[in-house]
Amino acid sequence: MKVLKFGGTSVGSVESILSLKKIVEGENDDVIVVVSALGGITDKLIATSKLALGGDESYKAEFEFMQKRHYEMVDAIIDDEEKKSGLLHTIDRLFEELKSIYYGVYLIHDLSPKIQAAIVSYGERLSSHIVATLVNGAKRYNSLDFIKTIKKHGKNVLDSEVTANAVKETFRNRTQKSVVPGFISTDRNTGEITNLGRGGSDYTASIIAAALDAEVLEIWTDVDGFMTADPKVIHTAYTINELSYVEAMELCNFGAKVVYPPTIYPVCVKNIPIKVKNTFNPDSAGTTILSHVENDSKPIKGISSIKGTTLITVAGLSMVGVIGVNRRIFTALAENGISVFMVSQASSENSTSIGVRDVDAEEAVAVLNNEFSKEIRTGAMFPMH
Ligand code: ADP
Ligand code: ASP
Ligand code: MG
């Protein structure tokens, strides 16, 4: 069994979605197809919610634009009148719901994380219904029923065990090609709609592949594979044939957006290879990510860059030779759910610099100033800002 994930651009145009149909229908194997929202729709859903929140009437035009885009897509790709009318019925219902939610946000001027998560979920709910109708003999499964999260430090994180069991149960008796919306999930305890983070459809596919011991996880996107750099930035970048899980993880964690970083781990544990392929050029070999790369002669595989980061330096003359400062830094940050993706300590031991995401920076500074408040007061350490 294979799991195939198609990203936003792969379901974003008539040409690409018809290519998806051909690829999936050409599979003799049993396949599970995970789809993203139509390209750009998740951004639009968020932008529209912000307009509604601000009481800006133009949210209505943005909403209608999204509606039109989905209806035009259905018109262009589904010929069978009976199938089309069933699909349109479902799409009408989803847009009716979404319209009411936007109107609520507009009237009440409230956009809690719960409402925002409900709003963005419509992208994948819509696209998965479209793809399930387009692909002959496909059946749609609803990931809201089996991808489960729990809240930790105010963030929604995957509940791996509950999810793995629910995935096995859901797909136990599948007999045909399956289509699943990526990205979206529900809270294990409250049932509220959540998601796996931006770019999370890759992760949905990996979770399913791992739970069902798939033979391969294929990530279908808009480039010829994992490349030596982002081709949108470095035009001479070229495709890498093979990468190890460790190399791929390193590049993804540091900004190679082609695969969402948490995706690698579930399939790596099960030793399931990942293939990165181009929906617009299916014949190209793509990249295979696996545990061990043969004939590995290149010490440097690629270059990536990461935006939205902040460097915080914890410094003070009293740190020299003091044991336990780093333990306190990491414990305090971990207790507040702040992830550190880079660390550097000066050889003189009088400073430790840590890299965190911009969104976490303010809280990280507050946590560290609080942790070292006594030392800062006595002048033994410098305040962070
Ligand atoms: P999808 O919608 O299919 O999930 P993404 O936009 O998330 O696609 O990821 C594909 C994009 O990742 C490419 O269009 C490319 O610009 C970008 N990218 C960044 N780094 C790399 C890399 N090393 N190799 C390939 N693509 C990369
Ligand atoms: N549609 C979601 C996003 O744009 C998830 C995904 O595409 O993987 O972030
Ligand atoms: Mg992506």
Side-chain angles (χ1 to χ4, degrees):
M1 190 274 292
K2 297 180 178 179
V3 177
L4 277 58
K5 179 262 172 178
F6 290 86
T9 44
S10 302
V11 292
S13 66
V14 172
E15 178 209 351
S16 65
I17 207 166
L18 290 178
S19 177
L20 172 159
K21 175 179 164 74
K22 202 164 155 205
I23 294 162
V24 175
E25 287 177 358
E27 283 290 344
N28 299 320
D29 256 2
D30 173 11
V31 292
I32 297 179
V33 178
V34 176
V35 291
S36 291
L38 269 57
I41 286 294
T42 308
D43 287 338
K44 248 303 174 247
L45 285 162
I46 295 170
T48 306
S49 66
K50 292 193 173 141
L51 289 173
L53 175 68
D56 185 337
E57 289 251 4
S58 67
Y59 89 85
K60 290 181 184 156
E62 294 296 308
F63 172 82
E64 278 158 20
F65 171 86
M66 287 191 277
Q67 243 182 335
K68 187 161 168 268
R69 178 136 178 240
H70 285 83
Y71 287 120
E72 281 177 0
M73 176 67 95
V74 171
D75 250 348
I77 61 173
I78 312 279
D79 300 326
D80 182 310
E81 283 306 322
E82 205 180 314
K83 280 188 181 172
K84 190 188 269 185
S85 106
L87 175 60
L88 287 176
H89 187 72
T90 306
I91 291 185
D92 286 343
R93 179 178 53 77
L94 289 169
F95 273 119
E96 268 313 303
E97 285 173 20
L98 181 58
K99 192 176 179 179
S100 306
I101 299 174
Y102 276 135
Y103 191 48
V105 172
Y106 172 77
L107 286 181
I108 301 173
H109 301 288
D110 187 17
L111 182 60
S112 65
K114 177 174 163 176
I115 301 174
Q116 183 69 272
I119 289 174
V120 291
S121 74
Y122 282 87
E124 272 71 9
R125 287 155 83 182
L126 287 157
S127 66
S128 56
H129 276 290
I130 296 175
V131 171
T133 310
L134 175 69
V135 172
N136 273 329
K139 177 171 176 198
R140 179 182 181 271
Y141 290 82
N142 188 359
S143 35
L144 295 178
D145 297 336
F146 54 80
I147 304 287
K148 295 286 171 185
T149 59
I150 37 168
K151 229 181 188 86
K152 268 197 190 153
H153 303 297
K155 294 181 180 130
N156 295 310
V157 295
L158 181 77
D159 185 325
S160 325
E161 215 177 303
V162 169
T163 300
N165 288 334
V167 168
K168 284 185 195 135
E169 192 50 45
T170 306
F171 292 97
R172 193 180 300 280
N173 298 317
R174 73 182 184 284
T175 52
Q176 55 202 111
K177 292 189 165 51
S178 316
V179 174
V180 175
F183 177 58
I184 57 176
S185 46
T186 44
D187 184 279
R188 185 187 103 171
N189 299 319
T190 63
E192 274 169 25
I193 296 178
T194 56
N195 61 60
L196 301 177
R198 294 303 307 271
S201 297
D202 297 340
Y203 194 22
T204 309
S206 169
I207 294 161
I208 296 174
L212 302 178
D213 290 307
E215 159 204 330
V216 63
L217 164 64
E218 295 183 356
I219 305 282
W220 288 84
T221 183
D222 61 350
V223 284
D224 274 345
F226 213 117
M227 305 180 80
T228 48
D230 184 344
K232 288 191 186 111
V233 181
I234 310 277
H235 300 294
T236 49
Y238 56 91
T239 309
I240 306 167
N241 297 335
E242 281 190 344
L243 273 177
S244 71
Y245 292 121
V246 175
E247 289 165 338
M249 181 96 85
E250 186 82 8
L251 285 164
C252 293
N253 268 329
F254 277 87
K257 172 179 179 246
V258 61
V259 179
Y260 181 52
T263 308
I264 315 261
Y265 180 71
V267 282
C268 167
V269 170
K270 291 283 185 90
N271 209 7
I272 298 168
I274 306 174
K275 284 198 168 198
V276 182
K277 301 263 295 170
N278 191 349
T279 309
F280 300 84
N281 185 15
D283 293 333
S284 85
T287 300
T288 307
I289 303 170
L290 66 187
S291 61
H292 183 69
V293 177
E294 299 287 338
N295 306 322
D296 195 4
S297 58
K298 288 189 186 143
I300 296 174
K301 289 297 179 67
I303 298 171
S304 58
S305 64
I306 187 165
K307 288 186 188 151
T309 61
T310 300
L311 197 67
I312 301 172
T313 300
V314 183
L317 296 174
S318 77
M319 277 173 74
V320 180
V322 177
I323 296 168
V325 173
N326 285 333
R327 179 184 55 76
R328 284 173 63 193
I329 296 175
F330 291 110
T331 307
L333 293 173
E335 278 170 357
N336 288 278
I338 297 167
S339 158
V340 175
F341 66 85
M342 199 205 78
V343 188
S344 150
Q345 182 167 39
S347 58
S348 66
E349 273 190 328
N350 76 353
S351 70
T352 297
S353 297
I354 53 163
V356 297
R357 302 237 162 233
D358 280 354
V359 285
D360 291 330
E362 209 175 308
E363 195 186 347
V365 166
V367 165
L368 293 171
N369 278 330
N370 181 47
E371 173 65 33
F372 294 105
S373 60
K374 210 169 113 210
E375 287 85 351
I376 292 168
R377 236 185 352 262
T378 60
M381 281 176 70
F382 310 133
M384 281 137 279
H385 42 79

